[in-house]
Amino acid sequence: MKVLVAGASGALGRPLIRILRDSGHEVWGLAHRPESLKTIERLGAHPVNGDALNRTNIFELIEQIRPDVVIDQLTSLPSSPFDLPQRLPADRRLRLDGGGNLFEAAKTFQVKRYVQQLSGFYLDGGNGLATEASPLRINAPGTIGDSARMYAALEQRVSSAQEMEGIGLRYGFFYGPGTWYWSDGAFSRHLLKGEVSLIGKGSSTFSFIHVEDAAQATVAALTAPSGIYNIVDNQPTKMSDWLPAYANWIGADAPPYLDEQKALQLLGEESVYFPNSLTGACNRKALRVLGLSPQWPSWLKK
């Protein structure tokens, strides 16, 4: 197939390009910054210089390339998760407005399939793991609620595609090279500096996914039935368990404890909600349909 990857130079885009090419696909990578275009070319894909927020530009590019599949991995995330509140408006604009231009251009020029990056970590599984039928936490406080409402809009958009086959991939928290959660990632740097605390009981359940596993699942989605898939690993884990194990993995001291009341006073409601209210996600559908076979997080290996 001829595949256009938007956001092709990111932590997921890099292994995705490699696996797509190894699978025999013709790969085009959309990016805006010169260094990103160089990365795409170095990986063996055709670099495409474009601005997703420029509607005319995106329509012209899709008309010229005529891809069979568009994979929307557009993000504008900060280098550190601590800076997410400041970056979220730009990220939201790129995904909703820029991604909207990409989606409409794909429909206009008869793209067969559209694959959309979604969230598998702000789902509400109630008393258990979230399934593909579970809603997003649109009423959560702070940036969690803001992000959940953005992802809900993206889910609605890709699910409404009638002219195209729409695939929504709800990825868990990314870990691996180039992500926040890796030995040289931003989260590790904050942890080594003692800037991360375990707040309250740490009862949130996290579902991670290695970027290599996420890329494999994304390639499998090119030929899978349309719909939504949770792309997460096999080990949903309480924050009270994975955070100390992660600290040990990178050689950091155990994170200090902060009680909920003090965290509320110092950091606000979201600081308590995030480590104590999230539910992980169930990957049963992706295992069965996409052949997902994820690795375990390195910091949880026995």
Side-chain angles (χ1 to χ4, degrees):
M1 299 181 188
K2 182 185 287 188
V3 182
L4 174 68
V5 182
S9 65
L12 175 57
R14 294 192 292 273
L16 179 56
I17 288 176
R18 189 190 74 249
I19 297 170
L20 282 167
R21 292 192 68 250
D22 289 347
S23 301
H25 299 293
E26 179 184 341
V27 188
W28 298 70
L30 176 68
H32 192 47
R33 296 181 301 173
E35 59 269 28
S36 298
L37 293 166
K38 290 178 182 178
T39 297
I40 292 166
E41 185 173 24
R42 187 168 62 250
L43 291 168
H46 303 285
V48 182
N49 186 0
D51 179 2
L53 292 169
N54 185 325
R55 185 177 178 86
T56 300
N57 176 224
I58 290 301
F59 270 68
E60 289 175 350
L61 289 174
I62 297 297
E63 183 179 21
Q64 291 168 9
I65 298 169
R66 297 284 180 151
D68 300 305
V69 180
V70 170
I71 301 178
D72 182 351
Q73 301 286 351
L74 291 170
T75 63
S76 182
L77 296 172
S79 58
S80 166
F82 283 22
D83 297 328
L84 189 57
Q86 293 75 32
R87 182 62 70 85
L88 193 58
D91 185 55
R92 178 183 175 87
R93 181 169 179 250
L94 179 61
R95 298 202 207 206
L96 293 180
D97 297 344
N101 292 334
L102 190 65
F103 184 79
E104 292 299 324
K107 286 200 302 183
T108 298
F109 296 106
Q110 289 83 52
V111 169
K112 181 180 179 182
R113 174 164 292 220
Y114 197 93
V115 181
Q116 176 69 61
Q117 180 185 131
L118 298 173
S119 168
F121 41 85
Y122 289 155
L123 301 171
D124 188 352
N127 294 323
L129 297 177
T131 70
E132 282 76 8
S134 299
L136 284 145
R137 296 174 175 271
I138 59 174
N139 295 317
T143 60
I144 298 173
D146 291 339
S147 294
R149 289 186 287 274
M150 175 188 72
Y151 284 118
L154 295 176
E155 285 200 8
Q156 175 60 32
R157 185 168 71 199
V158 75
S159 297
S160 69
Q162 296 180 352
E163 301 88 347
M164 299 183 291
E165 299 166 351
I167 297 280
L169 301 180
R170 290 170 160 181
Y171 300 108
F173 289 100
F174 285 145
Y175 76 99
T179 71
W180 293 334
Y181 297 97
W182 201 236
S183 56
D184 60 352
F187 185 80
S188 296
R189 293 195 296 272
H190 290 301
L191 198 54
L192 286 164
K193 293 178 181 178
E195 297 171 346
V196 179
S197 298
L198 181 61
I199 296 174
K201 294 181 179 180
S203 52
S204 278
T205 298
F206 281 62
S207 283
F208 288 91
I209 187 73
H210 192 284
V211 286
E212 290 281 345
D213 296 325
Q216 291 281 2
T218 306
V219 174
L222 298 185
T223 55
S226 300
I228 302 292
Y229 296 85
N230 293 341
I231 309 300
V232 298
D233 67 22
N234 294 328
Q235 202 173 15
T237 309
K238 297 286 187 185
M239 189 171 191
S240 57
D241 291 329
W242 74 255
L243 183 58
Y246 187 103
N248 181 66
W249 179 62
I250 64 169
D253 294 334
Y257 173 77
L258 186 63
D259 70 66
E260 292 189 13
Q261 286 302 317
K262 190 167 185 180
L264 278 172
Q265 295 171 3
L266 295 174
L267 304 169
E269 184 181 3
E270 184 179 355
S271 72
V272 175
Y273 187 98
F274 182 79
N276 290 287
S277 300
L278 302 185
T279 49
C282 173
N283 66 4
R284 189 174 297 115
K285 181 180 177 182
L287 294 175
R288 174 174 51 85
V289 181
L290 300 181
L292 178 66
S293 181
Q295 304 174 45
W296 282 15
S298 297
W299 55 90
L300 292 175
K301 285 183 179 177
K302 304 302 182 183

